[in-house]
Amino acid sequence: MRLPRVLFTRLPTDTRYPFEGQLPFSDSMPRPARTSLRNIETNVSLTENTGNMLIGESLSRILEIDRARSCHLNLTRLLALGWSAERIRDEIRKHFDLVVFLMANAIRQDFDLGDLADAVSALETDLMVFGIGMQDSLPPTLSTLPEGSQRLLYLFDQKALIFGVRGRETENWLHSVGFSRAKALGCPSLYVYPQNMLAVAPPSGGNTATAIASGHLTNPSPRSQKLISLFRDTKSHYIMQDELLTIARTCKGDESLYNDATGRVRTELCKPVLEHILGSKIPFDNFWYFQNLDAWRVFCTQADFYLGDRFHGGIVAMQAGISAIFIWNDQRARELTDFFALPNISVADIGDAKAHDLVDHLLTQQAFTEFRDTYKQRLDLFARTLGEHGLRLDIGDQYSTPKRHNARQIVHKAYNKFFPRFN
């Protein structure tokens, strides 16, 4: 069976510079090795929050596709370069059988997706949507969203073969405002390494266990204060996701701040900046920033557990087989932890607890049994939903639904026109 050619769009997968030309077999450019302020600013603009990379890479890592004829492309960048929606439509129809939209917390009052709606409105190629969710709870009316975002949701509901959303709250809200085809499938980043996710277990080491944390330390908020209070007596590493740029600018571009090869951020330079912002002592031993997911995952294997209020910071750890506790402060993170039965706690419920108190209370054998049972159900639903449209997960038969569904295959009619030799 011929495999589909898939265009993955919306979120980044790595800190790489896309090629703006049009040559077969061309590749994106790696980031420069020098850590000048200008380079850091450009690199950060490519990924913004580095947690987005987990979502961006997810389905392209696990779908059984024609990899030589599939790629990642940000459609809104083409619009910014002056391409019309019709030109984008024609080029996609010529080269791809399916467009996969990898989304995040895009259903929000302060985020207008009108530019993406313009591109989607013209598409004639099959499309699927995964991972879209709400940032915060919303009243049961569309009028709270920007017009462009409303239009995009209408298009997804009408045109998408799969309209996959993060969890039950987003699904219920979309149903309440008339989008009946929305289906809770979770964030696809959780399905990339099922063997490691299912192997996660309570950490060993007791009070000597080493932790990884992530949060929002450049934001002087109660949630940041609560995070640092957890780690007063715990050996811990802090992994930045979008704080590096603020620190680099404060350090006036000191190129010794960040080591691009190792991901290490110099403690003696960044800690005073963060302590000034927060007005509190910072307990973390070392600071890191990763622009590549493989390096991030490998680093996580050095720790015993993750505890933080960055959802995908915890998922990176779990992809590497490390247990995680997710701190949540909004609808977005709570919805995902509930959907997968992940160990979690709200900022308000932490109280005076320390990191190891939460480990003892939340990372239990019972908690992981519940997580594994829930995870297997979610993964099975995800695989079956894809299978209904002829797509198969390339993650091993023990994790995916082995039966090939007798449903329509994702091969656009235009394929026969442009590639008749494959008939």
Side-chain angles (χ1 to χ4, degrees):
M1 182 186 75
R2 178 167 45 79
L3 296 175
R5 306 163 300 161
V6 181
L7 174 65
F8 299 92
T9 189
R10 181 61 187 162
L11 293 175
T13 64
D14 203 340
T15 309
R16 295 183 68 87
Y17 290 63
F19 178 55
E20 295 183 8
Q22 298 181 38
L23 291 174
F25 306 111
S26 60
D27 192 6
S28 56
M29 286 293 291
R31 65 185 183 274
R34 183 183 176 186
T35 56
S36 65
L37 179 58
R38 184 181 67 178
N39 286 347
I40 289 175
E41 288 175 335
T42 306
N43 293 347
V44 169
S45 73
L46 295 173
T47 59
E48 297 179 351
N49 176 355
T50 52
N52 289 335
M53 297 189 297
L54 276 89
I55 308 169
E57 75 153 17
S58 56
L59 277 166
S60 62
R61 299 293 306 277
I62 59 177
L63 281 183
E64 196 173 82
I65 59 176
D66 184 342
R67 293 189 173 273
R69 291 187 173 92
S70 299
C71 74
H72 283 262
L73 175 67
N74 190 328
L75 298 186
T76 55
R77 283 184 176 169
L78 292 182
L79 291 171
L81 286 173
W83 285 45
S84 68
E86 291 72 25
R87 182 183 177 189
I88 294 172
R89 173 200 65 202
D90 293 342
E91 288 299 313
I92 290 177
R93 184 173 55 191
K94 185 188 305 182
H95 296 291
F96 301 101
D97 308 307
L98 174 68
V99 182
V100 170
F101 289 85
L102 294 153
M103 308 292 290
N105 50 320
I107 303 176
R108 49 198 295 178
Q109 295 170 304
D110 61 346
F111 199 29
D112 193 330
L113 292 165
D115 54 351
L116 189 59
D118 292 339
V120 174
S121 65
L123 286 182
E124 296 178 353
T125 306
D126 288 335
L127 66 95
M128 294 179 178
V129 180
F130 296 95
I132 194 168
M134 296 188 294
Q135 174 72 16
D136 297 296
S137 297
L138 294 170
T141 173
L142 268 181
S143 61
T144 59
L145 297 182
E147 184 277 332
S149 297
Q150 295 180 41
R151 193 156 47 93
L152 182 66
L153 292 175
Y154 275 116
L155 290 166
F156 281 166
D157 196 58
Q158 293 168 1
K159 301 179 73 168
L161 298 176
I162 299 173
F163 186 6
V165 303
R166 284 188 159 192
R168 297 295 181 208
E169 287 84 354
T170 297
E171 179 187 69
N172 292 338
W173 184 82
L174 287 169
H175 288 180
S176 74
V177 295
F179 301 126
S180 60
R181 297 186 60 248
K183 184 174 184 177
L185 295 173
C187 177
S189 64
L190 278 91
Y191 304 126
V192 176
Y193 291 104
Q195 69 277 25
N196 292 345
M197 301 289 288
L198 290 168
V200 169
S204 58
N207 290 337
T208 63
T210 300
I212 287 175
S214 289
H216 304 264
L217 293 191
T218 51
N219 180 9
S221 63
R223 66 194 289 188
S224 296
Q225 295 291 344
K226 189 63 68 174
L227 181 70
I228 62 178
S229 72
L230 283 166
F231 291 93
R232 293 296 183 199
D233 303 313
T234 303
K235 182 179 179 182
S236 56
H237 300 275
Y238 185 87
I239 299 179
M240 301 177 181
Q241 289 189 203
D242 60 7
E243 299 106 321
L244 181 65
L245 182 55
T246 296
I247 296 168
R249 286 171 171 166
T250 304
C251 291
K252 303 185 185 305
D254 185 338
E255 295 189 26
S256 69
L257 170 68
Y258 177 62
N259 189 319
D260 185 86
T262 65
R264 185 78 170 262
V265 184
R266 285 182 63 189
T267 302
E268 63 270 29
L269 291 179
C270 73
K271 185 177 280 192
V273 174
L274 295 173
E275 290 179 343
H276 177 75
I277 291 172
L278 296 174
S280 300
K281 289 291 184 181
I282 303 294
F284 306 109
D285 299 299
N286 296 295
F287 296 83
W288 307 83
Y289 177 78
F290 296 106
Q291 302 176 85
N292 172 281
L293 288 174
D294 292 328
W296 193 349
R297 281 186 281 255
V298 169
F299 179 82
C300 286
T301 63
Q302 302 179 54
D304 298 297
F305 67 94
Y306 167 90
L307 172 59
D309 70 342
R310 294 278 194 172
F311 180 79
H312 286 96
I315 297 305
V316 174
M318 294 187 72
Q319 287 182 348
I322 304 302
S323 58
I325 298 173
F326 298 82
I327 301 172
W328 55 268
N329 193 55
D330 54 29
Q331 158 85 18
R332 174 188 59 88
R334 182 182 61 80
E335 177 178 31
L336 283 164
T337 57
D338 287 352
F339 190 72
F340 287 98
L342 293 163
N344 69 89
I345 187 169
S346 71
V347 172
D349 289 338
I350 291 175
D352 297 327
K354 301 302 179 187
H356 290 293
D357 298 328
L358 298 187
V359 170
D360 294 341
H361 180 63
L362 296 173
L363 298 184
T364 63
Q365 289 291 355
Q366 180 180 351
F368 284 106
T369 298
E370 181 183 359
F371 162 70
R372 291 187 193 102
D373 290 344
T374 303
Y375 182 82
K376 290 175 183 176
Q377 295 172 23
R378 302 296 184 237
L379 179 56
D380 181 68
L381 174 63
F382 190 71
R384 285 189 287 108
T385 301
L386 289 167
E388 290 168 2
H389 299 280
L391 289 177
R392 184 177 171 84
L393 292 178
D394 189 15
I395 56 176
D397 289 340
Q398 68 270 42
Y399 305 113
S400 60
T401 303
K403 177 183 176 183
R404 286 191 184 275
H405 291 265
N406 237 347
R408 64 190 288 278
Q409 300 298 312
I410 305 298
V411 178
H412 197 278
K413 295 176 183 177
Y415 201 103
N416 293 331
K417 175 181 177 181
F418 291 103
F419 299 95
R421 65 183 182 280
F422 286 102
N423 289 347

